[in-house]
């Protein structure tokens, strides 16, 4: 079964735009669970422009599905994750001022660093996923660093799905996914996945463990409502 983890960063962005607590990030996360989400993803950036550190503590107290915290493994981030002990941490190579993730790790040139980071999280009983491009070598080296899973950066797939054709778009992702399976890694995917392109990705890579979706899902919820939207996304991955 492929699990749907709802990234609620955009909910926090709306809240922060006006101050106060509307929308309530914790309530939305609980609603996502109630409507069928299999997990909740957050990315607490250093500037707290969406998810705040306090949100992470508040969510940990009440979530009953898998909690996934993603971010760059700077000391403050690692300290937070090791205190919270979520089900999963997803390591992304983002600089502090990036608007959003736009590439995966170079697992060759960062091999020693990632090995040390993964070891720290493993010692704390936290499953670790490394965010990578659809490159079999990067996947293989993520396994060498000790990761439990990789998350494929799917923005190129989403772009080429419309600009070229679905078969061309998905080909490198199938190859990377096969390498992950060969290496004994779990497989996640995320970034720019939507109701347009998610079903085809799942059909081509049926062993996907998890998709993490935020921006498109929140945009769709503005029109369809959160409950209907989550149901539609779940239907794409059954």
């Amino acid at each position: 079964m492929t699990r749907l983890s709802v990234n609620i960063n955009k909910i926090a962005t709306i809240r922060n735009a006006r101050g106060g607590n509307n929308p309530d990030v914790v309530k939305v996360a609980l609603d996502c669970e109630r409507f069928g989400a299999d997990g909740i993803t957050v990315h607490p950036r250093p500037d707290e422009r969406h998810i705040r550190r306090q949100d992470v503590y508040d969510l940990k107290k009440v979530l009953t599905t898998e909690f996934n915290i993603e971010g760059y493994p700077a000391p403050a981030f690692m300290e937070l994750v090791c205190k919270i002990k979520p089900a999963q941490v997803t390591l992304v190579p983002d600089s502090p001022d990036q608007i959003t993730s736009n590439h995966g790790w170079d697992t060759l040139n960062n091999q020693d660093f990632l090995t040390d980071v993964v070891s720290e999280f493993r010692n704390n009983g936290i499953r670790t996923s490394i965010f990578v491009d659809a490159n079999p070598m990067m996947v293989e080296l993520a396994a060498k660093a000790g990761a439990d899973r990789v998350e494929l950066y799917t923005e190129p797939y989403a772009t080429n799905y419309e600009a070229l054709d679905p078969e061309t778009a998905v080909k490198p992702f199938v190859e990377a996914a096969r390498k992950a399976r060969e290496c004994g890694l779990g497989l996640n995917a995320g970034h720019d996945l939507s109701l347009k392109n998610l079903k085809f990705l799942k059909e081509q890579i049926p062993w996907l463990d998890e998709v993490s979706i935020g921006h498109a899902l929140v945009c769709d919820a503005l029109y369809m409502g959160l409950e209907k939207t989550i149901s539609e996304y779940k239907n794409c991955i059954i």
Side-chain angles (χ1 to χ4, degrees):
M1 183 184 74
T2 301
R3 302 167 71 87
L4 171 65
S5 186
V6 176
N7 185 316
I8 59 170
N9 291 345
K10 286 297 184 293
I11 302 300
T13 299
I14 298 170
R15 175 199 62 188
N16 295 354
R18 291 289 297 269
N21 195 39
N22 187 25
D24 184 325
V25 168
V26 172
K27 182 180 184 304
V28 172
L30 292 175
D31 285 340
C32 288
E33 289 187 326
R34 184 163 57 90
F35 297 148
D38 304 297
I40 299 296
T41 292
V42 297
H43 187 152
R45 292 179 179 273
D47 61 6
E48 297 192 322
R49 64 176 178 264
H50 38 66
I51 291 294
R52 300 168 181 156
R53 288 178 66 91
Q54 188 59 48
D55 295 328
V56 180
Y57 286 103
D58 293 343
L59 287 163
K60 173 62 177 179
K61 294 175 185 176
V62 298
L63 294 180
T64 57
T65 59
E66 285 202 350
F67 194 15
N68 173 45
I69 304 177
E70 62 181 24
Y72 180 84
F77 176 83
M78 293 184 67
E79 179 185 16
L80 175 66
V81 172
C82 289
K83 284 182 179 178
I84 294 295
K85 288 185 169 54
Q88 177 175 268
V89 59
T90 300
L91 308 180
V92 296
D94 291 3
S95 62
D97 59 347
Q98 271 185 239
I99 294 176
T100 188
S101 302
N102 59 16
H103 63 282
W105 282 97
D106 179 339
T107 52
L108 174 62
N109 290 320
N110 292 282
Q111 180 69 203
D112 291 343
F113 173 67
L114 289 170
T115 299
D116 289 345
V117 169
V118 170
S119 178
E120 178 69 18
F121 288 132
R122 175 166 287 179
N123 289 340
N124 280 272
I126 303 166
R127 185 175 74 228
T128 305
S129 177
I130 296 179
F131 194 66
V132 294
D133 296 320
N135 180 324
M137 184 179 75
M138 294 297 122
V139 171
E140 186 171 4
L141 289 170
K144 185 178 177 182
D148 301 291
R149 294 186 182 183
V150 288
E151 178 173 329
L152 298 180
Y153 169 55
T154 49
E155 187 277 334
Y157 163 71
T159 297
N160 290 329
Y161 184 92
E162 299 209 23
L164 301 175
D165 63 84
E167 289 76 15
T168 300
V170 83
K171 183 178 179 181
F173 292 86
V174 173
E175 292 174 356
R178 286 174 177 159
K179 176 58 70 172
R181 186 168 59 177
E182 177 185 311
C183 293
L185 291 170
L187 184 64
N188 300 341
H191 213 284
D192 285 356
L193 295 176
S194 70
L195 292 175
K196 292 180 180 178
N197 57 46
L198 179 58
K199 189 175 191 297
F200 185 75
L201 182 72
K202 164 67 176 179
E203 289 171 347
Q204 303 306 306
I205 312 174
W207 62 93
L208 267 173
D209 288 300
E210 175 187 293
V211 290
S212 175
I213 305 177
H215 183 78
L217 189 150
V218 172
C219 290
D220 289 333
L222 294 175
Y223 295 93
M224 296 191 291
L226 188 58
E227 183 172 9
K228 174 66 172 175
T229 297
I230 289 176
S231 176
E232 291 293 318
Y233 275 88
K234 290 276 288 184
N235 285 338
C236 290
I237 55 175
I238 57 175

